[in-house]
Each structure stands twice: as structure tokens, then as C-alpha cells.
Amino acid sequence: MKIAVLKERRDGEQRVAASPETVKKFIDLGAGVVVETGAGDHAALSDAVFKEAGATIGKNPADTVKGADIVLKVQRPMTGAEGTDEIALFSQGQILICQLNALVEGATVRALADKGVQAFAMELVPRITRAQSMDILSSQANIAGYKAVLDGIEYYGRAVPMMSTAAGRVTPANVFVMGVGVAGLQAIATAKRLGAVVYATDVCPDTKEQVESLGGKFVAVENEEFLQAQTAGGYAKEMSDDYKKQQAALVAETIPKMDIVVTTALIPGRAAPVLVTEDHVKSMKPGAVIVDLAAEAGGNCPLTELGKVVEKHSVRLVGHGNWPSRVAQTTSLLFAKNLLNFITPMVDKESGKIAINTEDEIIKGTLVTQGGEIVEERVKANAGAPAKKAAAKKTAPKKAGAKKAGAKKASAKKAAAKTADPAPASEPTTPDTNAEEK
């Protein structure tokens, strides 16, 4: 068995999908590992480090992927339209494991299916106990929440903790975290450790205890409706218009008192919900900072600009993209461990060969393409018709009644597409950056 690790080529992506530790573990499983030259350079993981761990260094992407059974990446492979056609490197039957963004990147998924690649989308790992060690969204969001606070402080023009000096007292900064998922909780913990007075809000009542356990102050209208706002599965119920108005008024009252606001709400396959309006921004103190972890999905604040730090109404808005990549060495190690934990159960201990159990819940949740077909139901609506089958229909002779049957089939497909939901049927409450585990 050969495992290949490709270098990331997307702008701003500095992570790598393997580490010296995971290379050694793969070798212990009986695999040979090839890492493309320079793959870990931006994460302070040199070719020499990988070679010392037992990996072979591939001189280019084609050489690295050739003959591989499994190909590991961080981000989805690029298409020809994006500059470098990485999908062209793959051969039929190869396994690709990465963050595929399959719910929104239908063209990439279709191209992989047409190529005959067996693709696993790691962002779709089911939220079950057994899969927690494989959850890339949680591992990466945890570090993103940490980095969000550090970046917010960088652009904040004052000290954060309370200080008593001979020249006078420095009052602590107020930090407001909106969305208490993995990134939100880490943001709360980080801000608290740095001496800020921390506030947090979420529509899930269970998060109140988590916020307070970290030393934060919970901000929510805690009436009877709020206490009943969570389902047995941990998801939020739709709140009444009256409750929404009360909560909005409380948030509008809280934001002007804040020095740094960190927003983390992101829903898979959808635009980020607006948490901070322009009126909220206008009400904030001059010099205050908003750190928007959802900038890549449109932002939790409409004034956020992706990839930029801008000033609007005397408030700085931080709209960096790909937050995990901003701490590439740490997030690479965690991402690589997630992949190792995902792959290990696939390897037969006796033969050392890949043995994929398609009935396993984790495999069912992440397997997107197989045998030239898209097999993940949520992805099909966005991926379009198979190129090869479409071409075959054009050349095939028409049979009696074929037009009518085809019309019925097309109508059925259209109806299915309308009802298909690219996001989970029940959404996590105020889901955190990259929609990680609550």
C-alpha cells in the first residue's frame, strides 16, 4: 500500500496533510509513504524531517501520486479552471482523503467521479463519539478560535488585562464572543487567560454552563422559551419572532460596551448569518475591533471584507480567510492526526491492505464518490449530470417512447433537486467556524 501526500497549491494554504508522527504510524501499518517535496515547508516541516521519519520524497506532484493507493491533501484538488489541474494527476480507483467542501463544490466532486476517484470528504465526518478523533472541523476550529483572539488584540490599540501601575490603573478590555461552539469556547478561554472580561452569547441553553465554566458571562434572554430551545439531539429550535426581538435588543445593548467582538457562526453549504449589523458597528467605541471568522462565507458582519483588515465607522474589521492556516504548524499536526485516525480502521491488520467497510457509519457519512458515481445524497443536487453518461445519451439512437420516459425522469430529478438540502436537515445552533462540533 502506498500513501501519497501532496503539497497544497491554493493561495494562502500553508498546512500539510501529514506529519513525521503520522508517517511513522503509516509505515507501522505496512504502508509506504511518499511526500511531495516542499509539502511541509510553510508548516516548518522540511523534507529532511519527513525523510527521517521514513518517507520517500516525491520530486513533483505527478511522481508523488503515481501508483498511490491513497492520496492525502488538506484542501480539495484544484481543477484546470483554477490554474493547476490536480485532478488530472489521479488514476481510476485511487482514494482521495481531504477537506473536499463537497456540499458546495459540485464541479470538483463531479470531476473526481468522472475520473473514477474514490473520494472521502473529511468535513462530513459524522458527529458521533467514535469519530471525534477524526473530526477535522473541530481540531481546526479550536486553533482558529485561539488565533482570532490574538489577531483581535493585535489590532486593538490598548492593553487587554487590568494593570495597576504607578502612573495609574489600566482597565481590562471587554471581549464579546458570538457563537459558543469549538472556536467560540477556545476564544473565550484565550481571552480570559489574557485578562479580558469576557461575554458570550448563543441560542443553545446548554452553552451557558460552558461559558460560565470558562469564566465568561452569558448574554441571552433567559425566559421559558429559551430554556426549551434545544432538541434532544443538541440542535436549536426555531425561536418566536417575539424572542428574536428581545434577543436582538439585548445584543444591541451589549455590543456598544465591547472592545473586541469575535463572531463564529457558520452553516455548512450556506451563507453565514448576520450577527453584527452596520448599526451595531456604528454604535461601537472608536478603536473597537470585530474579528469575523465567517469571512469566507460572506461574513457575520456585512461590512467585513474577505482577506482584509478594514476600518468602518472607526471600527476595525478583521476578515482573514482560512484561519487554521494562520497557525499552520499546529493545525497541520492536528489535521494529520485526524487523517491517521480515519485511515487506520480501513487497513486490514493481517494483510496490510485497504479493506473499506461501506456499511460503517463513518464511511457512509464521508464517502462522496465511488465507481464513477456520486454516492453521497446531499452532494448529488449540486454536482450535475455525469459527463460520460450525458455524451452517451447524445449518440444513442432514440427508441419509441424514450422521449416521454426521459421527460418523466428529468421531472423526477428536478423535483429531487428542489427538495435536496445541501446542509444537514437540522442545523447546529449558532454553528461555529467551519461548522465544527458544538
Side-chain angles (χ1 to χ4, degrees), residues 83-170:
T84 301
D85 190 352
E86 293 181 296
I87 295 178
L89 300 171
F90 288 85
S91 301
Q92 184 176 354
Q94 286 185 316
I95 296 171
L96 168 66
I97 304 175
C98 67
Q99 181 171 331
L100 197 53
N101 293 340
L103 295 178
V104 294
E105 296 295 343
T108 299
V109 174
R110 168 50 57 198
L112 289 168
D114 290 343
K115 194 73 175 178
V117 175
Q118 192 169 5
F120 289 88
M122 289 300 293
E123 75 276 7
L124 300 181
V125 166
R127 302 301 167 80
I128 59 176
T129 302
R130 185 164 55 92
Q132 286 181 351
S133 65
M134 311 171 191
D135 188 352
I136 64 167
L137 299 183
S138 291
S139 74
Q140 304 302 287
N142 189 38
I143 305 303
Y146 159 80
K147 182 60 173 170
V149 172
L150 298 187
D151 282 11
I153 291 172
E154 178 184 350
Y155 294 104
Y156 179 56
R158 294 173 50 203
V160 170
M162 183 181 72
M163 300 180 188
S164 295
T165 73
R169 180 184 176 188
V170 176

Side-chain angles (χ1 to χ4, degrees), residues 70-365:
I70 298 175
V71 180
L72 304 181
K73 287 186 91 288
V74 176
Q75 298 273 11
R76 62 187 173 86
M78 296 175 71
T79 64
E82 294 173 305
T84 301
D85 190 352
E86 293 181 296
I87 295 178
L89 300 171
F90 288 85
S91 301
Q92 184 176 354
Q94 286 185 316
I95 296 171
L96 168 66
I97 304 175
C98 67
Q99 181 171 331
L100 197 53
N101 293 340
L103 295 178
V104 294
E105 296 295 343
T108 299
V109 174
R110 168 50 57 198
L112 289 168
D114 290 343
K115 194 73 175 178
V117 175
Q118 192 169 5
F120 289 88
M122 289 300 293
E123 75 276 7
L124 300 181
V125 166
R127 302 301 167 80
I128 59 176
T129 302
R130 185 164 55 92
Q132 286 181 351
S133 65
M134 311 171 191
D135 188 352
I136 64 167
L137 299 183
S138 291
S139 74
Q140 304 302 287
N142 189 38
I143 305 303
Y146 159 80
K147 182 60 173 170
V149 172
L150 298 187
D151 282 11
I153 291 172
E154 178 184 350
Y155 294 104
Y156 179 56
R158 294 173 50 203
V160 170
M162 183 181 72
M163 300 180 188
S164 295
T165 73
R169 180 184 176 188
V170 176
T171 58
N174 292 322
V175 175
F176 188 29
V177 179
M178 304 184 74
V180 186
V182 174
L185 287 169
Q186 186 56 248
I188 293 167
T190 302
K192 188 66 180 177
R193 284 194 294 265
L194 292 172
V197 178
V198 185
Y199 301 80
T201 188
D202 195 286
V203 295
C204 178
D206 281 0
T207 58
K208 178 182 178 180
E209 183 179 349
Q210 296 173 316
V211 170
E212 292 177 344
S213 71
L214 293 171
K217 300 178 181 181
F218 194 66
V219 179
V221 177
E222 297 182 53
N223 58 18
E224 187 64 28
E225 182 179 358
F226 175 77
L227 296 177
Q228 303 297 324
Q230 187 171 330
T231 68
Y235 295 104
K237 295 179 181 178
E238 179 68 21
M239 307 300 282
S240 68
D241 290 341
D242 180 59
Y243 181 87
K244 291 176 181 177
K245 288 179 182 178
Q246 292 182 58
Q247 178 68 7
L250 180 59
V251 169
E253 179 185 320
T254 303
I255 284 181
K257 303 172 186 177
M258 298 299 116
D259 299 296
I260 299 173
V261 175
V262 178
T263 66
T264 70
L266 186 66
I267 300 172
R270 301 185 185 183
V274 174
L275 302 182
V276 181
T277 67
E278 184 168 5
D279 285 339
H280 289 150
V281 177
K282 289 178 180 178
S283 74
M284 295 179 73
K285 307 172 187 177
V289 177
I290 297 172
V291 184
D292 195 336
L293 267 70
E296 288 179 292
N300 293 140
C301 177
L303 301 184
T304 301
E305 296 184 25
L306 177 59
K308 296 180 180 180
V309 178
V310 297
E311 187 169 316
K312 303 287 180 70
H313 308 297
S314 300
V315 174
R316 287 180 175 174
L317 293 99
V318 182
H320 297 315
N322 196 349
W323 286 89
S325 184
R326 296 176 62 76
V327 195
Q329 185 170 4
T330 299
T331 50
S332 292
L333 298 178
L334 295 173
F335 192 99
K337 192 66 177 289
N338 291 145
L339 297 187
L340 171 67
N341 293 335
F342 181 76
I343 292 169
T344 299
M346 292 184 181
V347 181
D348 183 82
K349 293 181 179 179
E350 294 184 3
S351 66
K353 295 181 179 180
I354 302 167
I356 298 174
N357 177 13
T358 54
E359 295 303 312
D360 182 87
E361 185 177 359
I362 297 173
I363 298 299
K364 281 184 176 180

